[in-house]
Amino acid sequence: MIKLSGRLKAIAGFVEKGETVADVGTDHGFLPLYLLDNGISPKVILTDVSPGSLDKARLSCIEYFDREFEKRMGSDFELRLGDGLEPILPGETETVIMAGMGGLLMSEIMGQDIGKTRTFGKFILQPRNNVGRLRKWLYLSGFYIAEETLVRERNRICEILKVIPAGKAERKSLKAADVEEDVMFEYPDMLVDEPNPLTEEYLRVHLEKEQAIRDRILKGSDRSRLRITENRMDRISGLYRRLMK
């Protein structure tokens, strides 16, 4: 039986039963094997740009399938070497997962061939960083963030986004002024509109981080980013007040 970390299990929770899945940057391949093991996905595609990482996934598959490895390859699972979405055919799977890589890299992968990217029904994204810039890219590129959640991984709280191409769902609109304000993407309303048990801690930790940045700015001579930091603090404080009502 495949066991997952809390982060990977939360990602798996966004996959609907019966959906085929491509796991981009699969590394050990534990997540797609879990989807097979629990009867969630009938077929998974494991891809990685690194031959070494794909070899790790291959070893996981050999251990999991044992004597049926050769028999089930191609029908239940496939291992493919390649960069980003390149190894996957347009619309080949209902869901594409990208987890544990930077938010900017995710936007680069999705933007490389935007027409192909829109052929997939759903993306599940768990960025390591730059989540605000990823959200803004998704919005400006015509993708709808249908749902978000927070999950703990050791000493940090991770964001997981369920993303749908425009035309497959209604997109929540933002005012033109909001699109120019990056803080709206760093700390969106969805955090408190759909809170979970980690939301209060997430907002508090980020407020403390912004306060520390402000204190360093005030001690230095360059205050060019003071307004940006104070805007972030105001935004987080406003969300926190809404959450605690």
Side-chain angles (χ1 to χ4, degrees):
M1 180 176 290
I2 302 294
K3 293 184 178 181
L4 296 182
S5 66
R7 175 179 68 93
L8 292 179
K9 197 165 185 179
I11 294 170
F14 278 111
V15 180
E16 300 292 334
K17 187 175 178 63
E19 289 180 346
T20 54
V21 169
D23 185 29
V24 176
T26 193
D27 198 42
H28 285 88
F30 296 145
L31 176 54
L33 288 177
Y34 173 90
L35 296 173
L36 283 178
D37 191 43
N38 287 271
I40 299 170
S41 296
K43 181 175 181 179
V44 294
I45 300 173
L46 297 76
T47 84
D48 210 293
V49 69
S50 163
S53 291
L54 199 63
D55 282 343
K56 288 189 288 186
R58 182 181 299 274
L59 288 174
S60 296
C61 291
I62 290 172
E63 182 178 354
Y64 174 74
F65 290 109
D66 196 18
R67 295 179 181 179
E68 292 192 334
F69 174 78
E70 295 291 344
K71 175 184 176 182
R72 297 180 67 175
M73 180 183 282
S75 57
D76 294 348
F77 76 99
E78 292 188 41
L79 295 153
R80 298 182 188 176
L81 183 67
D83 189 11
L85 301 177
E86 184 273 330
I88 315 164
L89 297 174
E92 187 175 11
T93 62
E94 281 98 352
T95 297
V96 175
I97 295 173
M98 290 191 282
M101 63 182 76
L104 294 181
L105 178 56
M106 289 180 178
S107 62
E108 289 173 8
I109 289 172
M110 295 179 71
Q112 192 168 22
D113 185 345
I114 199 75
K116 178 179 179 179
T117 300
R118 290 194 176 108
T119 66
F120 301 101
K122 179 174 71 183
F123 285 81
I124 303 171
L125 307 177
Q126 186 271 298
R128 281 290 182 189
N129 50 43
N130 289 306
V131 64
R133 293 174 70 177
L134 174 61
R135 287 192 189 102
K136 185 171 184 178
W137 182 90
L138 290 167
Y139 182 85
L140 295 177
S141 301
F143 292 87
Y144 166 68
I145 300 175
E147 189 177 351
E148 286 196 31
T149 194
L150 301 172
V151 62
R152 188 183 305 282
E153 183 186 40
R154 294 187 289 275
N155 63 342
R156 66 188 297 264
I157 298 175
C158 304
E159 305 93 343
I160 303 173
L161 284 62
K162 173 183 170 182
V163 175
I164 300 172
K168 296 182 184 292
E170 288 276 335
R171 184 174 65 164
K172 294 179 181 178
S173 62
L174 292 174
K175 297 176 183 177
D178 293 339
V179 176
E180 297 303 318
E181 290 288 343
D182 287 350
V183 69
M184 299 295 293
F185 295 96
E186 290 287 347
Y187 305 107
D189 288 330
M190 191 175 287
L191 286 170
V192 296
D193 289 343
E194 301 173 11
N196 79 6
L198 293 174
T199 304
E200 187 270 339
E201 180 184 350
Y202 178 88
L203 292 173
R204 177 170 47 80
V205 167
H206 280 268
L207 181 58
E208 291 171 355
K209 182 181 75 172
E210 297 295 345
Q211 288 170 334
I213 293 171
R214 181 199 58 186
D215 292 344
R216 288 198 297 271
I217 291 173
L218 291 174
K219 289 178 181 178
S221 57
D222 182 3
R223 299 193 176 186
S224 60
R225 296 188 61 82
L226 180 59
R227 179 178 173 275
I228 295 172
T229 301
E230 289 179 338
N231 283 347
R232 288 169 179 255
M233 290 172 57
D234 289 344
R235 174 64 176 167
I236 300 169
S237 296
L239 290 173
Y240 192 89
R241 288 192 295 271
R242 283 172 53 191
L243 179 70
M244 301 308 290
K245 281 185 178 179

